[in-house]
Structures are given as structure tokens and as C-alpha cells.
Amino acid sequence: MNKGNNVVSGNDLTVWINNEIWDDTKLAEYKLTGEFEDVTFLGDPRTYKKYLGFGGEGTLTLNKMHSRGASILAEAFKTGVFPDIKIVVKIANKSTGKAERAILTGVVFSEFGSSTEAKAVATEELPFTFSDYEMLELL
């Protein structure tokens, strides 16, 4: 068996925003980062860590086909009222039939705009944070 076939590819990624597939997605990344406090004790030279919680952040980069960021954020930035947003990210492996699927909730997009240059495809980058997640499938 070719082990290379077991490696997932971005070509098999699907992104849903509030149950709508965003087929203009070029790049999707998210990560969770643990928050820890240093703990020390008199007479002990070691530093320990106390887990305090986590934070989630990510970025969607889109091929510019729609005004995705503006449609979500233009009014929200003016009024301070932000919509509830849920992101589902699924990357599948056609060779094995397995997938990794995560639901990110409490999503807040923090900026919008676009990037355009001569003889290049225009893109839109949407950085975000999220407050909760659920792993529905694992590879």
C-alpha cells in the first residue's frame, strides 16, 4: 500500500459557515492554545504549570468571489452587534474513508478586506477567534 495515499489533502476540505458551504475557501486554519500560569514554590527550583483555560483562533483565506467579510462585519463594526457564527471544517481522506470534522462555535471575525495585485488572484482574509469547539470525527 502506498502510504502517501493515507495523507489528507486540502483538495478534500469542506468549510461551512452557518450551514452554508463556502466553496471559495482557499485556506482554512484553526488552532487551540492552552493558557497556563507559572507556579513556583520556595525551596524548589522547578517551574510548574497550572492550566487556566484555552483560546481558539484561526483564519479563512478566500478566493475573492463574494463580499464575505463585508456582508458579515460591515454593519457589525458600526453597531457593535455581531452575528452568531458557527464554522464546521471537515477534511476527508478518500483513500481510507476517514475524516476529521470540527465544529467551532462562538466565532468572531475580527477584520475584513481584500488583497489584490496585478496578474494575481484577489483574495480575502478573515481572521477569527472562537470560544468553544467539538471534535465530531477523528482520522
Side-chain angles (χ1 to χ4, degrees):
M1 173 185 257
N2 178 352
K3 287 175 68 172
N5 289 335
N6 292 333
V7 177
V8 295
S9 162
N11 292 339
D12 299 317
L13 177 77
T14 306
V15 176
W16 292 264
I17 307 295
N18 290 347
N19 301 319
E20 176 190 352
I21 291 178
W22 280 18
D23 59 359
D24 49 348
T25 303
K26 178 179 180 170
L27 177 144
E29 59 182 6
Y30 69 92
K31 67 179 178 179
L32 290 124
T33 303
E35 298 171 7
F36 299 87
E37 180 82 24
D38 285 350
V39 179
T40 58
F41 299 94
L42 290 174
D44 186 342
R46 293 170 284 216
T47 300
Y48 301 89
K49 298 290 185 183
K50 171 68 177 170
Y51 175 70
L52 301 175
F54 67 89
E57 62 184 0
T59 302
L60 295 177
T61 302
L62 312 170
N63 289 312
K64 186 72 172 175
M65 298 168 54
H66 310 282
S67 298
R68 298 282 197 192
S71 66
I72 293 170
L73 295 173
E75 190 65 21
F77 280 177
K78 287 186 174 189
T79 65
V81 178
F82 286 78
D84 289 332
I85 298 173
K86 172 180 75 172
I87 298 176
V88 177
V89 178
K90 179 179 180 180
I91 189 159
N93 186 323
K94 293 177 183 175
S95 296
T96 64
K98 295 181 180 181
E100 179 177 286
R101 185 166 46 119
I103 297 176
L104 312 177
T105 55
V107 173
V108 176
F109 288 109
S110 57
E111 58 185 69
F112 73 96
S114 67
S115 176
T116 309
E117 64 181 272
K119 294 188 178 185
V121 173
T123 60
E124 180 175 10
E125 192 171 280
L126 295 173
F128 62 89
T129 59
F130 59 97
S131 58
D132 206 1
Y133 69 98
E134 184 177 353
M135 300 304 298
L136 298 179
E137 293 180 78
L138 297 172
L139 292 168

